[in-house]
Amino acid sequence: MNMQRYAQAVSGCELVRRIGRVTRFYGLVLEASGPDAFLGEVCEVHSRSHAAPVLAEVVGLRDGTVLLMPYGELRGIGLGSEVIARGQSLRVPAGEALLGRVIDAFCKPLDGRPAPRTSAMINLHRDAINPLNRPPIRQVLESGVRAIDTLLTIGKGQRIGIFSGSGVGKSTLLGMLARNVRSDVNVIALVGERGREVREFIEQSLGPAGLKRSVLVVSTSEQAALMRCNAAFAATALAEHFRAQGADVALIMDSVSRFAMAQREIGLAIGEPPTARGYTPSVFASLPRLLERCGTTDAGSITAFYTVLAEGDDFTGDPIVDAARSVLDGHIVLSRELADQRHFPAIDILKSISRLMPLLSTPGEQELAQRAIRTLNQLTRSRDLIEIGAYKSGANAELDRALQLAPRLERFLCQGMTESVARSDALRELSTIFAESKS
């Protein structure tokens, strides 16, 4: 066994050093004459001050030069600094020892505790599942949130987008999902998050119970664009590792928009042409490669929740919103109007959809959900008439009934941050609301 480990170590070593030299540095990119490297390879850039080398990744090859982007600061790097190829793309450790830990994009601990003893090394970039090898999604995944489990039912292996503007309770909903979702393991990626909010999310939104079965991959907003991108890929790779072990995994990523912004920085730095709102073609190529890796296999499943920030609450003209919506299996829209009314979670049921709900719920459950949606739609369409006092009771029997149901339905859709409700109890409660309205 020991000899096998030694043989694996030797086979993975670079026996010949491939060395280049820094020839130019501009913006986020280093240009080097050599080494003979491949796209995505990790290199060491050595400073003349004998400080620790800076790791950089090959992001392009142009006119005989190698374009590299660093993972960290480049202080001390100058013309002629050595660039040494490592012979492999970025790999990170994985294993159950990561549960309950807060780590960076390299899976190094951020929580002040010793580095975990992991059982495997995994690549960040993998191919998506063969579409013919994906078992159909047929099992309901309970989220513990009444509005989602009854009106937007999701299944194990589904990919859901949470679309919102800033400040409408997105982090609160993510915390509820992380604590309450019925999964074996949670992998949570905070991509480009404000440094102040990381600890707040862990202590207030997630809590000790949620952290215990979760792995948090964190890359804050001041870090290099490559680190922010790799945090998203590292979290996805860790989720794939746990899925291969037979676990039902919940992947929660906040946010896809910041991942896209980081990818845009990289694309612009290496000379890609900007397109819609300055996003480069590589952004729209990277999104499906990231999002399509989740889903079901014969071993386990990854159910993914991706937050997507809509600039200026624009859910129609934002290219990242459109790109994400076209790939995902459903979307949950958070409403600023509901948040202003202190209605949390601020889910706009009429603008949200789970594309798999018809396959996951019974005819009776679907009929119950449709009745609730029809009631909400009736109230929305008649709101202006009601608010200006133009509607008189008795003029429309359906609207009268909707107005009678409105207070109880609103209380049903609101839920405390620490409250968890089983799906069967939520369905029973919703059924009771409609049954009592008849009597």
Side-chain angles (χ1 to χ4, degrees):
M1 179 65 72
N2 287 336
M3 290 301 294
Q4 184 179 2
R5 290 173 58 193
Y6 289 134
Q8 290 175 348
V10 171
S11 65
C13 285
E14 278 283 288
L15 302 180
V16 177
R17 295 182 81 192
R18 290 175 288 132
I19 301 175
R21 298 281 178 180
V22 173
T23 58
R24 191 180 176 196
F25 170 45
Y26 56 94
L28 305 175
V29 176
L30 280 172
E31 278 192 14
S33 58
D36 181 15
F38 57 84
L39 191 66
E41 185 171 1
V42 177
C43 299
E44 296 176 0
V45 184
H46 291 259
S47 69
R48 294 179 178 178
S49 61
H50 303 290
V54 176
L55 293 182
E57 184 175 312
V58 178
V59 294
L61 305 168
R62 183 170 59 201
D63 298 330
T65 61
V66 179
L67 306 182
L68 302 111
M69 189 163 285
Y71 293 121
E73 291 288 337
L74 286 174
R75 290 190 179 91
I77 304 299
L79 290 175
S81 293
E82 279 191 342
V83 180
I84 302 176
R86 280 192 163 188
Q88 60 184 17
S89 55
L90 187 61
R91 303 171 74 219
V92 294
E96 291 189 4
L98 293 174
L99 293 176
R101 303 299 301 272
V102 184
I103 56 179
D104 65 10
F106 294 115
C107 291
K108 293 180 179 178
L110 296 175
D111 50 15
R113 295 160 57 189
R117 290 191 170 188
T118 51
S119 56
M121 295 292 293
I122 57 175
N123 291 318
L124 263 64
H125 301 277
R126 297 182 180 180
D127 293 333
I129 310 167
N130 184 324
L132 298 184
N133 292 339
R134 290 178 181 262
I137 298 173
R138 292 293 182 266
Q139 282 186 279
V140 171
L141 179 73
E142 294 193 30
S143 69
V145 180
R146 281 191 297 253
I148 295 175
D149 288 340
T150 55
L151 306 181
L152 303 167
T153 306
I154 59 176
K156 290 182 179 179
Q158 191 169 346
R159 300 158 306 151
I160 294 288
I162 299 175
F163 296 82
S164 76
S166 58
V168 293
K170 168 177 57 66
S171 296
T172 301
L173 179 58
L174 290 181
M176 293 173 69
L177 292 171
R179 282 194 310 273
N180 303 330
V181 71
R182 307 301 196 266
S183 61
D184 300 320
V185 177
N186 296 335
V187 179
I188 303 171
L190 302 181
V191 180
E193 188 61 271
R194 303 177 188 91
R196 174 187 60 82
E197 294 187 347
V198 173
R199 187 166 181 175
E200 289 181 5
F201 177 82
I202 295 170
E203 294 179 354
Q204 298 176 18
S205 298
L206 186 58
L211 179 60
K212 187 176 180 180
R213 61 189 182 98
S214 303
V215 182
L216 264 79
V217 183
V218 176
S219 179
T220 47
S221 58
E222 86 285 356
Q223 292 184 329
L226 206 53
M227 287 286 283
R228 283 175 271 145
C229 280
N230 283 343
F233 286 117
T236 304
L238 288 173
E240 289 173 326
H241 172 79
F242 288 117
R243 177 179 63 186
Q245 307 302 311
D248 289 321
V249 184
L251 172 64
I252 299 172
M253 188 175 296
D254 183 19
S255 70
V256 166
S257 298
R258 295 194 185 110
F259 164 81
M261 291 174 187
Q263 188 66 48
R264 176 175 61 183
E265 287 182 41
I266 296 170
L268 292 174
I270 62 176
E272 284 190 67
T275 57
R277 293 202 183 179
Y279 288 102
T280 57
S282 63
V283 174
F284 301 103
S286 296
L287 281 173
R289 286 202 296 267
L290 177 70
L291 304 180
E292 286 287 359
R293 288 167 62 179
C294 298
T296 56
T297 66
D298 292 330
S301 67
I302 301 174
T303 306
F305 299 91
Y306 298 102
T307 65
V308 184
L309 295 172
E311 295 183 15
D313 292 349
D314 181 7
F315 295 102
T316 57
D318 190 312
I320 302 304
V321 170
D322 289 339
R325 188 187 283 122
S326 68
V327 175
L328 298 173
D329 305 317
H331 49 271
I332 297 171
V333 175
L334 301 187
S335 163
R336 187 172 301 279
E337 183 180 354
L338 291 175
D340 290 342
Q341 297 169 13
R342 298 300 182 264
H343 179 295
F344 294 110
I347 300 174
D348 189 332
I349 298 297
L350 298 180
K351 293 181 180 178
S352 306
I353 189 171
S354 169
R355 291 187 175 126
L356 296 181
M357 184 174 176
L359 302 175
L360 298 169
S361 52
T362 65
E365 292 167 355
Q366 292 179 46
E367 174 59 25
L368 186 61
Q370 288 300 320
R371 290 170 68 184
I373 290 170
R374 283 196 298 267
T375 301
L376 293 171
N377 190 37
Q378 184 82 24
L379 291 168
T380 300
R381 286 190 290 109
S382 306
R383 178 181 300 170
D384 291 342
L385 286 175
I386 296 168
E387 289 180 349
I388 65 174
Y391 176 73
K392 301 298 182 184
S393 179
N396 185 321
E398 286 189 14
L399 182 54
D400 288 342
R401 188 156 175 266
L403 289 170
Q404 179 189 357
L405 289 168
R408 294 192 63 184
L409 201 54
E410 183 176 350
R411 286 195 298 271
F412 174 83
L413 295 175
C414 290
Q415 187 169 331
M417 190 174 75
T418 59
E419 185 183 0
S420 177
V421 182
R423 183 170 183 265
S424 57
D425 293 339
L427 287 167
R428 192 179 305 113
E429 184 179 349
L430 184 59
S431 179
T432 300
I433 291 173
F434 284 98
E436 291 180 355
S437 71
K438 292 181 179 179
S439 56

